[in-house]
Amino acid sequence: MVSVIDINNTNEHIDINNRRTDIDNSIELTNVNNIMNEQMDIDNKHISTCVDIRRTSRIAEEEKWERNGVIYQILMGLCANVVVLTPGMGVGYYGVAQPAMTAPKTDDLQLDANQANWAATTFALTIPLGCLLTSPVMERGRKLSMVMASLISVAGWVTIYLAKSYEVLLVGSSISGISTGMAAAPATIYAAEIAEPKWRGTMVTWTSLYFSIGGLLVYIFGYIFKNDWRLVALMCAIFPVVSIALTLLVMPESPLWLRDQNRPEEALKIMKKFRGIPKDQPAPAEVLFELKPQSQEKDRNLLKHLMKRSSLVPFVIMNSYFLFQQFSGTFLVTYNVVTIMEKSGIQIDPYIGAILIGVARLIASFLATEVCRRLGVRIPSIISGIGMTIFIGGLSLYLFLAEKGTVISDKGIIPTTCMMLFIFTNTLGYLTIPFAMVGEIYPSKVKDILSNVTVSICYLVSAITVKIYPDMERLMHMYGVYFFFGIVSLIGLIFIIFFLPETKGKTLSEIEDMFSKKKVSELSAEKVVGEIPSIPNRVDSLEN
């Protein structure tokens, strides 16, 4: 018979074993949990690493897209502006051709001073006609407008080259003027429509850059062929042919023009290329928003759009700026560059002086591109107004003292420096900025019309200044003419300080909003975002 003590001992032994088992189980469970936690930490680290890798890859891919898009925008902007080389040549052509046209000769057409002045004036007078013709042509395509301008330009230069009479020369001048007017706006508008907001301020200044290159080229041709104005015209005819080839073979149509023609699929395809987005990737929301037409009231006709505040205010501002541009001597010096060099106390070959002016203008145009990108349009315009006032005023004072008998032993250094710096500062702002702004400051609904009307008025005033210049010189002497330029530059500076808006970094919709009483684009943006919640942006599309 088992004793009670043995039973108790046995039970205690079982309890001990059970406790040991519980402890062993607890230890084993703890070890398992620890192992699982360690494994989960490893998995989480692995997942985090994968996410970081994907995010890094995504950022690199997005940067590559943006870089490709910017490169494509720049290349197409450069190609588009080749059409502007010929206007630059046209404006400078009579400055170097008039001395050869009026030089005594027996074997070629000879003009008197009045006829030579009328040839240049005819060219300037027909530029506004070309500007007005551009509007209906641009409605049929930005590319078509550039091709038409180049074709007419070739016809004009060839007519001048072949002219055997004064009347035919005037016809050639008229045709060249029309082509110049037709080329003035399309390149700027095309660049403004294809560029991202942060690059638009740079790309729209390229019109003035190419204009300066064209002017320098014709000055060089004038120096090489001093006595052959026909050959200079023939050399000028080469460049519109190059423009035609680039426009037809290389450049795509403006995506915003395609959008306005109810061709959204083509517009989206081209806009994706301009933004560097691969064909197989969905378009980000910001691209879709760029291609969304501006909300307009259906019952409003074109006249009512023209009478809106967002159209009238920039129209007044831009035409005022162009008025100061023309009467400060911006184009007048270009149209009469050789004769002005001869009468400004500059003691070098006037054709070399013209080339120096062309070089100064070209350097300033390059700088203006970067300055506008960094500083916008107001600061360069202010710097330009200050510089022009100082340097043309200094040249006026120099010529006044020289005419009154004061002997200045500077060997022509002072007038050369003043003229070069006047042209340099003029190009930084007064010459460059207005033409750059017409491509972006007007609402899209009336941009084609108002931009061309504005440039037309500019060139009409230019023709007036060219025609009255001989009378101004006779009545006021050269120092009086330069003093007048200085006063206009100063008044223009005051206008810029108080009234010129800044467009740097703004989208075209935001620029339109600056002049509107109602900020409708913000509502439009909210509406668009609400309509396309499922459209991924670049980041989301890569993560998925």
Side-chain angles (χ1 to χ4, degrees), residues 197-451:
K198 66 180 180 181
W199 282 97
R200 186 181 302 115
T202 299
M203 291 178 61
V204 295
T205 62
W206 290 349
T207 300
S208 295
L209 174 62
Y210 274 73
F211 190 93
S212 299
I213 294 174
L216 177 58
L217 287 173
V218 80
Y219 293 159
I220 293 173
F221 295 152
Y223 174 72
I224 296 173
F225 310 111
K226 287 184 180 180
N227 300 318
D228 197 339
W229 52 270
R230 296 182 185 277
L231 190 53
V232 174
L234 189 62
M235 296 296 294
C236 293
I238 296 174
F239 295 90
V241 175
V242 175
S243 176
I244 292 171
L246 290 174
T247 304
L248 293 178
L249 302 178
V250 178
M251 293 166 48
E253 185 55 86
S254 163
L256 296 188
W257 180 81
L258 291 171
R259 175 202 68 184
D260 294 338
Q261 301 302 309
N262 295 319
R263 295 158 64 179
E265 294 181 359
E266 294 178 67
L268 180 59
K269 180 180 178 181
I270 294 175
M271 183 62 84
K272 286 174 66 176
K273 193 170 184 179
F274 276 117
R275 299 299 176 259
I277 303 169
K279 295 179 181 179
D280 58 348
Q281 293 291 334
E286 60 266 25
V287 173
L288 296 177
F289 182 62
E290 279 190 272
L291 292 175
K292 183 176 179 62
Q294 290 290 309
S295 58
Q296 304 285 353
E297 296 179 22
K298 294 182 179 180
D299 60 343
R300 286 185 176 269
N301 57 28
L302 181 59
L303 179 60
K304 291 184 178 179
H305 285 297
L306 290 171
M307 299 306 295
K308 290 172 64 175
R309 188 177 187 275
S310 59
S311 300
L312 292 176
V313 173
F315 183 76
V316 172
I317 291 174
M318 292 311 305
N319 280 280
S320 299
Y321 200 166
F322 274 115
L323 190 69
F324 293 119
Q325 177 201 72
Q326 292 302 318
F327 280 104
S328 63
T330 299
F331 278 8
L332 192 56
V333 172
T334 305
Y335 277 112
N336 300 275
V337 61
V338 172
T339 56
I340 282 180
M341 291 295 100
E342 291 175 338
K343 298 175 181 178
S344 296
I346 297 176
Q347 299 177 14
I348 57 176
D349 185 329
Y351 287 91
I352 296 294
I355 293 176
L356 291 177
I357 281 183
V359 171
R361 179 156 283 170
L362 180 59
I363 294 173
S365 296
F366 273 112
L367 291 177
T369 299
E370 181 63 18
V371 169
C372 289
R373 187 178 74 86
R374 292 178 177 271
L375 302 179
V377 297
R378 278 180 52 81
I379 294 178
S381 297
I382 292 172
I383 294 173
S384 178
I386 293 173
M388 290 169 62
T389 302
I390 293 174
F391 297 121
I392 204 65
L395 182 55
S396 172
L397 179 61
Y398 177 92
L399 294 178
F400 175 77
L401 293 176
E403 187 162 319
K404 297 303 179 182
T406 303
V407 178
I408 304 175
S409 302
D410 66 314
K411 298 182 179 180
I413 294 176
I414 292 177
T416 302
T417 303
C418 286
M419 179 59 74
M420 294 281 288
L421 290 176
F422 169 75
I423 294 297
F424 183 86
T425 54
N426 170 271
T427 306
L428 281 179
Y430 277 46
L431 173 65
T432 307
I433 300 297
F435 287 108
M437 292 184 69
V438 295
E440 61 178 0
I441 197 170
Y442 290 125
S444 59
K445 193 71 176 179
V446 295
K447 180 185 297 183
D448 289 357
I449 295 177
L450 291 186
S451 61

Side-chain angles (χ1 to χ4, degrees), residues 5 7 16 28 39 60 62 119 152 170 215 237 254 256 329 379 383 415 483 485 536:
I5 294 175
I7 293 173
I16 291 171
E28 183 178 356
Q39 185 64 42
E62 182 177 310
I152 296 174
L170 290 182
S254 163
L256 296 188
I379 294 178
I383 294 173
F483 182 75
F485 291 166

Side-chain angles (χ1 to χ4, degrees), residues 130-159:
C131 295
L132 296 177
L133 290 175
T134 304
S135 293
V137 178
M138 278 204 300
E139 290 178 1
R140 291 166 173 78
R142 310 310 191 207
K143 290 180 60 175
L144 177 62
S145 62
M146 287 184 257
V147 170
M148 290 296 297
S150 297
L151 285 172
I152 296 174
S153 178
V154 173
W157 288 119
V158 171
T159 302

